[in-house]
Amino acid sequence: MISAIDHIAIGVPDPDAAAAQLADQLGIAFTAGGRHPSFGTFNRLAFLGDTFLELIGVADPALATQGPVGAAALRAIGSGGGFATYALLDDAIETSVATLQAAGSSIGPVRHGSRERPDGEVVEFWAAFPERLGPDAPPFLIKHAYVGAEWGAAALAARRAATHPIGSPAILTRIDLATPDPTELAAEYFAQLGLEFWSVADLAVCSIGPHTIRLVPSREMEVPAAVVIGAGVESPRTIQALGMRFDVEPVVLPVLVS
């Protein structure tokens, strides 16, 4: 039931400053965000087609540490900022979690969450988490309520077509994660989420819908995570920022429909 990478969460001390940095250096616009009142966190979002980058900050450390994502963000911020975790989209999350648990996964239960936008609208979602989150752990599952100014049909169509400062729409194509043993981590992904990887040289690779996840030996990466973004640019560019690597590659952008 998992259909795509939903979003990548990057823990930062100041989401507004980090958003300005990536807009300037990478050419990606952050156009949404808000606060998670129940989790002690707040964020800025950049939409990349149907996926997004989340810059997540902590307003209440005591409250944040009680939740899986808040705790992961705190760990990332404590190391200077960087990749905290990421989520996979599963619109049948309740069924998927029940199936995974029956097969021996420790994921779950499904939890309801929400975020309050600056205009007061509440964005709702449901998520299920493995026992641990981080660069060297599987991601979590999420389902959204597809309504409102951010997740309704019109909003989804508009953000798919939105032009970033880079000069075109942009989409996420791949995430690379550094790990000491790609085979061992791929086995954990399978045990917790049922995802199957295959070996390519010393990499473990998994395709999920339009996206690719690569588990890369730590010796080959200087940072915990690299995010690859496709855009209508003439030449590739790479920047190191926020404790991560961001690669922008020329692609023929798909026609995304709602």
Side-chain angles (χ1 to χ4, degrees):
M1 299 294 182
I2 296 170
S3 60
I5 295 175
D6 183 78
H7 71 275
I8 297 167
I10 304 168
V12 294
D14 185 337
D16 288 331
Q21 179 182 355
L22 289 187
D24 178 58
Q25 297 182 356
L26 196 61
I28 300 300
F30 287 78
T31 58
R35 308 189 72 84
H36 305 101
S38 300
F39 305 144
T41 56
F42 61 104
N43 64 19
R44 293 290 305 277
L45 308 182
F47 295 112
L48 305 172
D50 286 338
T51 306
F52 61 94
L53 298 182
E54 177 185 25
L55 303 175
I56 183 168
V58 174
D60 185 336
L63 190 57
T65 195
Q66 297 177 29
V69 177
L74 278 170
R75 288 192 294 271
I77 294 169
S79 300
F83 181 89
T85 184
Y86 69 115
L88 302 179
L89 179 64
D90 190 333
D91 286 327
I93 190 170
E94 294 85 358
T95 300
S96 296
V97 166
T99 300
L100 290 169
Q101 289 174 336
S105 171
S106 62
I107 193 171
V110 178
R111 307 181 187 183
H112 175 262
S114 64
R115 168 170 53 87
E116 184 176 330
R117 288 161 40 99
D119 62 7
E121 182 177 309
V122 174
V123 176
E124 294 185 281
F125 54 88
W126 294 262
F129 302 91
E131 289 184 322
R132 64 188 184 95
L133 296 176
D136 60 344
F140 64 99
L141 304 182
I142 194 167
K143 177 180 80 170
H144 300 279
Y146 294 107
V147 296
E150 192 171 300
W151 287 92
L156 290 174
R159 75 191 200 201
R160 290 165 183 161
T163 297
H164 286 267
I166 203 169
S168 74
I171 58 172
L172 178 74
T173 62
R174 193 179 82 231
I175 181 172
D176 292 347
L177 297 168
T179 179
D181 189 337
T183 300
E184 181 179 347
L185 184 53
E188 187 174 356
Y189 271 67
F190 180 76
Q192 297 301 322
L193 301 176
L195 293 179
E196 295 187 0
F197 285 73
W198 67 92
S199 296
V200 178
D202 55 355
L203 308 178
V205 181
C206 178
S207 294
I208 303 177
H211 302 132
T212 299
I213 301 167
R214 300 198 316 176
L215 307 179
V216 182
S218 300
R219 66 180 182 274
E220 297 182 10
M221 285 184 63
E222 297 179 356
V223 293
V227 175
V228 183
I229 297 167
V233 294
E234 294 183 357
S235 58
R237 68 180 68 176
T238 295
I239 71 162
Q240 297 264 2
L242 311 181
M244 300 173 56
R245 192 184 80 230
F246 297 87
D247 300 323
V248 178
E249 298 182 347
V251 297
V252 177
L253 293 164
V255 178
L256 298 171
V257 296
S258 58

